[in-house]
Coordinates of all heavy atoms in Angstrom, one line a residue:
F1 N 0.8 -1.2 0.0 CA 0.0 0.0 0.0 C 0.9 1.3 0.0 O 1.9 1.3 0.6 CB -0.9 0.0 1.2 CG -1.8 -1.2 1.3 CD1 -1.4 -2.3 2.1 CD2 -3.0 -1.3 0.6 CE1 -2.2 -3.4 2.2 CE2 -3.8 -2.4 0.7 CZ -3.4 -3.5 1.4
H2 N 0.4 2.3 -0.7 CA 1.1 3.6 -0.7 C 0.1 4.7 -0.4 O -1.1 4.5 -0.4 CB 1.6 3.9 -2.2 CG 2.6 2.9 -2.7 ND1 2.8 2.6 -4.0 CD2 3.5 2.2 -2.0 CE1 3.8 1.8 -4.1 NE2 4.3 1.5 -2.9
F3 N 0.7 5.8 -0.1 CA -0.1 7.1 0.1 C 0.6 8.2 -0.6 O 1.9 8.2 -0.7 CB -0.5 7.3 1.5 CG 0.7 7.7 2.4 CD1 1.1 9.0 2.6 CD2 1.3 6.7 3.2 CE1 2.1 9.3 3.4 CE2 2.4 7.0 4.0 CZ 2.8 8.3 4.1
Y4 N -0.1 9.2 -1.0 CA 0.5 10.4 -1.6 C 1.3 11.2 -0.6 O 0.8 11.5 0.5 CB -0.6 11.3 -2.2 CG -1.3 10.7 -3.4 CD1 -2.5 10.1 -3.3 CD2 -0.7 10.8 -4.7 CE1 -3.2 9.5 -4.4 CE2 -1.4 10.3 -5.8 CZ -2.6 9.6 -5.6 OH -3.2 9.1 -6.7
N5 N 2.5 11.5 -1.0 CA 3.4 12.3 -0.1 C 2.7 13.6 0.3 O 2.3 14.4 -0.6 CB 4.7 12.6 -0.7 CG 5.8 13.1 0.2 OD1 5.7 12.8 1.4 ND2 6.8 13.8 -0.3
G6 N 2.4 13.8 1.6 CA 1.7 15.0 2.1 C 0.3 14.8 2.2 O -0.4 15.7 2.7
N7 N -0.3 13.6 1.9 CA -1.7 13.4 2.0 C -1.9 11.9 2.4 O -2.2 11.1 1.5 CB -2.5 13.8 0.8 CG -4.0 13.6 0.9 OD1 -4.5 13.3 2.0 ND2 -4.7 13.7 -0.2
M8 N -1.8 11.6 3.7 CA -1.9 10.2 4.1 C -3.3 9.7 3.9 O -3.5 8.4 3.9 CB -1.5 10.1 5.5 CG -1.4 8.6 6.0 SD -0.9 8.4 7.7 CE 0.8 8.9 7.5
Q9 N -4.3 10.5 3.8 CA -5.7 10.0 3.6 C -5.9 9.4 2.2 O -6.9 8.7 2.0 CB -6.7 11.1 3.9 CG -6.6 11.7 5.3 CD -6.5 10.7 6.4 OE1 -7.4 9.8 6.5 NE2 -5.6 10.8 7.3
A10 N -5.1 9.8 1.3 CA -5.2 9.3 -0.1 C -4.3 8.0 -0.2 O -3.1 8.1 -0.5 CB -4.8 10.3 -1.1
Q11 N -4.9 6.9 0.1 CA -4.2 5.6 0.1 C -4.7 4.6 -1.0 O -5.9 4.7 -1.4 CB -4.5 5.0 1.5 CG -4.2 5.9 2.7 CD -4.5 5.2 4.0 OE1 -4.8 4.0 4.1 NE2 -4.4 6.0 5.1
M12 N -3.9 3.8 -1.4 CA -4.3 2.8 -2.4 C -3.4 1.5 -2.3 O -2.3 1.6 -1.8 CB -4.2 3.4 -3.8 CG -2.8 3.6 -4.4 SD -1.9 4.9 -3.6 CE -2.9 6.3 -3.9
E13 N -3.9 0.5 -2.9 CA -3.2 -0.8 -3.0 C -2.3 -0.7 -4.2 O -2.7 -0.1 -5.2 CB -4.2 -1.9 -3.2 CG -3.6 -3.3 -3.2 CD -4.6 -4.4 -3.3 OE1 -5.8 -4.1 -3.2 OE2 -4.2 -5.6 -3.5
A14 N -1.1 -1.3 -4.2 CA -0.2 -1.3 -5.3 C 0.4 -2.7 -5.5 O 0.9 -3.3 -4.6 CB 0.9 -0.3 -4.9
H15 N 0.2 -3.1 -6.7 CA 0.7 -4.5 -7.1 C 2.0 -4.3 -7.8 O 2.1 -3.7 -8.9 CB -0.3 -5.1 -8.1 CG -1.7 -5.3 -7.5 ND1 -2.2 -6.4 -6.9 CD2 -2.7 -4.4 -7.3 CE1 -3.4 -6.3 -6.5 NE2 -3.8 -5.0 -6.7
H16 N 3.1 -4.8 -7.2 CA 4.4 -4.6 -7.7 C 4.9 -5.9 -8.4 O 4.8 -7.0 -7.9 CB 5.4 -4.4 -6.5 CG 5.1 -3.2 -5.6 ND1 3.9 -3.1 -4.9 CD2 5.9 -2.1 -5.3 CE1 4.0 -2.0 -4.2 NE2 5.1 -1.4 -4.4
Y17 N 5.5 -5.7 -9.5 CA 6.2 -6.8 -10.2 C 7.7 -6.4 -10.4 O 8.0 -5.4 -11.0 CB 5.6 -7.0 -11.6 CG 4.1 -7.5 -11.4 CD1 3.1 -6.6 -11.3 CD2 3.8 -8.9 -11.4 CE1 1.8 -7.1 -11.1 CE2 2.5 -9.3 -11.2 CZ 1.5 -8.4 -11.0 OH 0.2 -8.8 -10.8
C18 N 8.6 -7.2 -9.7 CA 9.9 -6.7 -9.4 C 11.0 -7.7 -9.9 O 10.7 -8.9 -10.0 CB 10.1 -6.5 -7.9 SG 8.9 -5.4 -7.1
G19 N 12.2 -7.2 -10.0 CA 13.3 -8.0 -10.3 C 14.6 -7.3 -9.9 O 14.7 -6.0 -9.9
H20 N 15.6 -8.1 -9.7 CA 16.9 -7.5 -9.3 C 17.7 -6.9 -10.5 O 17.7 -7.6 -11.5 CB 17.8 -8.6 -8.6 CG 17.6 -8.8 -7.2 ND1 16.6 -9.6 -6.7 CD2 18.2 -8.3 -6.1 CE1 16.6 -9.6 -5.4 NE2 17.6 -8.8 -5.0
V21 N 18.2 -5.7 -10.3 CA 19.2 -5.2 -11.3 C 20.6 -5.8 -10.8 O 21.4 -6.2 -11.7 CB 19.2 -3.7 -11.2 CG1 20.3 -3.1 -12.1 CG2 17.9 -3.1 -11.7
N22 N 20.8 -5.7 -9.5 CA 22.0 -6.4 -8.9 C 21.6 -6.6 -7.5 O 20.4 -6.5 -7.1 CB 23.3 -5.6 -9.1 CG 23.1 -4.2 -8.5 OD1 22.6 -4.0 -7.4 ND2 23.6 -3.2 -9.2
E23 N 22.5 -7.1 -6.6 CA 22.2 -7.5 -5.3 C 21.7 -6.3 -4.4 O 21.1 -6.5 -3.4 CB 23.4 -8.1 -4.6 CG 23.2 -8.8 -3.3 CD 22.2 -10.0 -3.4 OE1 22.1 -10.5 -4.6 OE2 21.6 -10.4 -2.4
D24 N 22.0 -5.1 -4.8 CA 21.7 -3.9 -4.0 C 20.6 -3.0 -4.7 O 20.2 -2.0 -4.1 CB 22.9 -3.1 -3.8 CG 23.9 -3.8 -2.9 OD1 23.7 -3.9 -1.7 OD2 25.0 -4.2 -3.5
L25 N 20.1 -3.4 -5.8 CA 19.1 -2.5 -6.5 C 18.0 -3.4 -7.1 O 18.3 -4.4 -7.9 CB 19.8 -1.7 -7.6 CG 18.9 -0.9 -8.5 CD1 18.1 0.1 -7.7 CD2 19.7 -0.2 -9.6
I26 N 16.8 -3.1 -6.8 CA 15.6 -3.8 -7.3 C 14.7 -2.8 -8.1 O 14.6 -1.6 -7.6 CB 14.8 -4.4 -6.2 CG1 15.6 -5.5 -5.5 CG2 13.5 -5.1 -6.7 CD1 15.0 -6.0 -4.2
Q27 N 14.2 -3.1 -9.2 CA 13.2 -2.2 -9.9 C 11.9 -2.9 -10.0 O 11.8 -4.1 -10.3 CB 13.8 -1.8 -11.3 CG 14.1 -3.0 -12.2 CD 14.8 -2.5 -13.5 OE1 15.0 -1.3 -13.7 NE2 15.1 -3.4 -14.4
C28 N 10.8 -2.1 -9.9 CA 9.5 -2.7 -9.9 C 8.6 -1.8 -10.8 O 8.7 -0.6 -10.8 CB 8.9 -2.7 -8.5 SG 9.8 -3.5 -7.2
V29 N 7.7 -2.5 -11.5 CA 6.6 -1.7 -12.2 C 5.4 -2.0 -11.3 O 5.2 -3.1 -10.7 CB 6.4 -2.2 -13.6 CG1 7.5 -1.8 -14.5 CG2 6.2 -3.7 -13.7
I30 N 4.5 -1.0 -11.2 CA 3.4 -1.0 -10.3 C 2.1 -0.9 -11.1 O 1.9 0.0 -11.9 CB 3.4 0.1 -9.3 CG1 4.8 0.0 -8.5 CG2 2.3 0.0 -8.3 CD1 5.0 1.2 -7.6
F31 N 1.1 -1.8 -10.8 CA -0.2 -1.8 -11.5 C -1.3 -1.6 -10.4 O -1.1 -1.9 -9.2 CB -0.4 -3.2 -12.2 CG 0.4 -3.3 -13.4 CD1 1.7 -3.8 -13.3 CD2 -0.1 -3.0 -14.7 CE1 2.5 -4.0 -14.5 CE2 0.7 -3.2 -15.8 CZ 2.0 -3.7 -15.7
D32 N -2.5 -1.3 -10.9 CA -3.6 -1.1 -10.0 C -4.4 -2.4 -9.8 O -5.5 -2.3 -9.2 CB -4.5 0.1 -10.4 CG -5.3 -0.2 -11.7 OD1 -4.9 -1.2 -12.4 OD2 -6.2 0.5 -12.0
G33 N -3.9 -3.5 -10.3 CA -4.6 -4.7 -10.2 C -3.6 -5.8 -10.6 O -2.5 -5.6 -11.0
N34 N -4.1 -7.1 -10.6 CA -3.3 -8.2 -11.0 C -4.0 -9.0 -12.1 O -3.6 -10.1 -12.4 CB -2.9 -9.1 -9.9 CG -4.0 -9.7 -9.1 OD1 -5.1 -9.8 -9.6 ND2 -3.8 -10.0 -7.8
A35 N -5.1 -8.5 -12.7 CA -5.8 -9.1 -13.8 C -5.3 -8.5 -15.1 O -4.5 -7.6 -15.1 CB -7.3 -8.9 -13.6
D36 N -5.8 -9.1 -16.2 CA -5.3 -8.7 -17.5 C -5.8 -7.3 -17.9 O -5.3 -6.7 -18.9 CB -5.6 -9.7 -18.6 CG -7.1 -10.0 -18.7 OD1 -7.9 -9.3 -18.1 OD2 -7.5 -10.9 -19.5
D37 N -6.7 -6.7 -17.1 CA -7.1 -5.3 -17.4 C -6.3 -4.3 -16.5 O -6.6 -3.1 -16.5 CB -8.6 -5.1 -17.2 CG -9.0 -5.3 -15.7 OD1 -8.2 -5.8 -14.9 OD2 -10.1 -4.9 -15.4
A38 N -5.3 -4.7 -15.8 CA -4.6 -3.8 -14.9 C -3.9 -2.7 -15.6 O -3.4 -2.8 -16.8 CB -3.5 -4.6 -14.1
K39 N -3.9 -1.5 -15.0 CA -3.3 -0.3 -15.6 C -1.9 -0.1 -14.9 O -1.8 -0.1 -13.7 CB -4.2 0.9 -15.3 CG -5.6 0.7 -15.8 CD -5.7 0.3 -17.2 CE -7.2 0.2 -17.7 NZ -7.9 -0.9 -17.0
L40 N -0.9 0.2 -15.7 CA 0.4 0.5 -15.2 C 0.3 1.9 -14.6 O 0.1 2.9 -15.2 CB 1.4 0.5 -16.4 CG 2.8 1.0 -16.1 CD1 3.5 0.1 -15.1 CD2 3.7 1.0 -17.3
M41 N 0.5 2.0 -13.2 CA 0.3 3.2 -12.6 C 1.6 3.8 -11.9 O 1.6 4.9 -11.4 CB -0.8 3.1 -11.5 CG -0.5 2.3 -10.3 SD -1.9 2.4 -9.1 CE -1.2 1.5 -7.7
G42 N 2.7 3.1 -12.0 CA 3.9 3.7 -11.5 C 5.1 2.8 -11.5 O 5.1 1.7 -12.0
V43 N 6.2 3.3 -10.9 CA 7.4 2.5 -10.7 C 8.0 2.7 -9.3 O 7.7 3.7 -8.7 CB 8.5 3.0 -11.7 CG1 8.0 2.7 -13.2 CG2 8.8 4.4 -11.6
E44 N 8.7 1.7 -8.9 CA 9.4 1.9 -7.6 C 10.8 1.3 -7.8 O 11.0 0.2 -8.3 CB 8.7 1.1 -6.5 CG 9.5 1.2 -5.1 CD 8.6 0.8 -3.9 OE1 7.5 0.5 -4.1 OE2 9.2 0.9 -2.8
Y45 N 11.8 2.1 -7.2 CA 13.2 1.6 -7.2 C 13.5 1.3 -5.7 O 13.2 2.1 -4.8 CB 14.1 2.7 -7.7 CG 13.8 3.0 -9.2 CD1 13.1 4.2 -9.5 CD2 14.2 2.2 -10.2 CE1 12.7 4.5 -10.8 CE2 13.9 2.5 -11.5 CZ 13.1 3.6 -11.8 OH 12.8 3.9 -13.1
I46 N 14.1 0.2 -5.5 CA 14.4 -0.2 -4.1 C 15.9 -0.4 -4.0 O 16.5 -1.1 -4.8 CB 13.7 -1.5 -3.8 CG1 12.2 -1.3 -3.9 CG2 14.1 -2.0 -2.4 CD1 11.3 -2.6 -3.7
V47 N 16.5 0.2 -2.9 CA 18.0 0.0 -2.7 C 18.2 -0.5 -1.3 O 17.4 -0.3 -0.4 CB 18.7 1.4 -2.9 CG1 18.6 1.9 -4.4 CG2 18.2 2.5 -1.9
T48 N 19.4 -1.1 -1.2 CA 19.8 -1.6 0.2 C 20.3 -0.4 1.0 O 20.5 0.7 0.5 CB 20.9 -2.6 0.0 OG1 22.0 -2.0 -0.6 CG2 20.5 -3.8 -0.7

């Protein structure tokens, strides 16, 4: 789950599909669902 920075009341579920770039960096694409009609709604980069 995420919320908009500065507005915690605006919350939503986030479906992440992720993979390692290397041992210290992961990249994810984020959809608003997990069915075949899901919309690509963002990205997340994850670091150690």
Side-chain angles (χ1 to χ4, degrees):
F1 303 95
H2 295 153
F3 66 89
Y4 291 97
N5 194 23
N7 182 11
M8 187 179 287
Q9 302 310 308
Q11 309 177 7
M12 75 291 299
E13 185 178 354
H15 301 261
H16 302 62
Y17 295 86
C18 306
H20 275 84
V21 175
N22 56 47
E23 192 62 22
D24 294 287
L25 174 61
I26 297 169
Q27 58 186 359
C28 307
V29 292
I30 305 172
F31 289 84
D32 68 345
N34 59 24
D36 57 9
D37 66 345
K39 309 304 183 297
L40 175 61
M41 68 178 188
V43 296
E44 179 166 0
Y45 301 101
I46 299 173
V47 297
T48 58

